[in-house]
């Protein structure tokens, strides 16, 4: 769905055995991320069903067993589609972007500082869609942590242009599919170095 609206998504490979996880890891290129794939587990990190910075095929195979065990232990009866394997990204910044539905105003476009500290930082801004490019840039500039996107402590500047373009596309999704969507949560939206784009690291879509 995100790809249809022009939001860049990673190439993910689904493994259904430790051997497949090892092979997919070699094909993706190291380091890789391994995480359980289940419609019943929207938040994988909290239950230990994600492994990061895996450097060898053996580590990927071991991670397959570990995330599967964590999922079955913490969410008994969960439907498991397999384990996702993809190359790990090292972004300049992580955003949360998506669509929330307000009882009074309907679908709203949201962006904020993302990653695992989203709830702690509580740094978000909202707009009624659709939004144009200038609106999206304004949304990013309203964030208290905007300096992270601009490059701090020797870090490169993030691709603000690509992040704003992504918000425009999500706003179009909200406008066109607002009556079918209860929520869209892209977190993290990886912002790469200027000129390198953005990438949806993980996403949750809740339908009405």
């Amino acid at each position: 769905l995100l790809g249809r609206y022009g939001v860049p998504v990673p190439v993910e490979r689904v493994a259904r055995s430790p051997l497949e996880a090892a092979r997919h890891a070699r094909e993706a290129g190291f380091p890789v991320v391994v995480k359980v794939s289940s419609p019943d587990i929207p938040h994988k990190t909290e239950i230990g069903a994600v492994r990061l910075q895996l450097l060898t095929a053996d580590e990927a195979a071991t991670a397959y067993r570990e995330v599967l065990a964590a999922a079955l232990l913490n969410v008994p009866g969960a439907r498991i589609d397999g384990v996702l394997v993809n190359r790990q990204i090292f972004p300049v910044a992580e955003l949360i972007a998506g669509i929330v539905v307000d009882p009074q105003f309907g679908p709203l476009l949201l962006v904020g500082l993302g990653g695992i500290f989203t709830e702690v930082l509580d740094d978000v801004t909202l707009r009624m869609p659709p939004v144009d490019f200038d609106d999206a840039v304004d949304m990013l500039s309203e964030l208290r942590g905007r300096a992270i996107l601009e490059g701090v402590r020797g870090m490169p500047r993030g691709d603000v242009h690509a992040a704003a373009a992504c918000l425009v596309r999500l706003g179009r999704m909200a406008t066109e599919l607002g009556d079918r969507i209860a929520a869209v949560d892209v977190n993290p939206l990886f912002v790469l170095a200027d000129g390198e784009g953005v990438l949806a690291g993980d996403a949750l879509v809740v339908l009405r």
Side-chain angles (χ1 to χ4, degrees):
L1 177 62
L2 292 173
R4 282 189 176 189
Y5 278 87
V7 177
V9 296
V11 177
E12 292 186 317
R13 300 160 174 85
V14 179
R16 294 185 172 84
S17 72
L19 189 62
E20 274 195 338
R23 185 175 76 248
H24 291 337
R26 284 191 293 266
E27 293 170 352
F30 298 101
V32 298
V33 177
V34 167
K35 55 188 176 182
V36 73
S37 177
S38 169
D40 299 321
I41 306 175
H43 303 293
K44 306 169 186 68
T45 303
E46 285 85 343
I47 65 164
V50 177
R51 294 291 183 275
L52 304 174
Q53 288 189 258
L54 305 171
L55 301 175
T56 68
D58 286 344
E59 288 184 7
T62 298
Y64 175 96
R65 300 184 185 95
E66 291 175 345
V67 300
L68 206 58
L72 295 173
L73 176 65
N74 289 283
V75 190
R79 293 167 291 169
I80 306 294
D81 296 329
V83 166
L84 295 171
V85 181
N86 56 275
R87 188 169 185 174
Q88 184 160 352
I89 304 299
F90 296 96
V92 173
E94 296 183 7
L95 299 176
I96 179 173
I99 302 164
V100 296
V101 178
D102 181 88
Q104 182 175 356
F105 296 105
L108 297 174
L109 179 66
L110 173 148
V111 69
L113 285 187
I116 61 174
F117 300 116
T118 298
E119 292 83 3
V120 177
L121 296 173
D122 192 26
D123 186 7
V124 299
T125 187
L126 298 161
R127 286 288 193 287
M128 291 186 67
V131 299
D132 61 22
F133 184 79
D134 289 339
D135 292 331
V137 170
D138 287 344
M139 290 179 73
L140 294 169
S141 69
E142 290 172 7
L143 299 177
R144 296 192 305 274
R146 62 187 176 277
I148 297 173
L149 291 169
E150 297 163 359
V152 293
R153 295 183 178 272
M155 292 288 289
R157 175 181 168 82
D159 198 334
V160 176
H161 185 283
C166 182
L167 293 178
V168 172
R169 293 165 185 148
L170 286 172
R172 182 163 61 87
M173 181 192 296
T175 301
E176 294 180 3
L177 302 180
D179 59 339
R180 299 181 58 193
I181 289 177
V184 175
D185 181 7
V186 182
N187 186 24
L189 177 66
F190 293 129
V191 182
L192 308 180
D194 197 17
E196 296 181 7
V198 297
L199 195 65
D202 201 2
L204 175 65
V205 178
V206 181
L207 301 176
R208 290 181 185 272

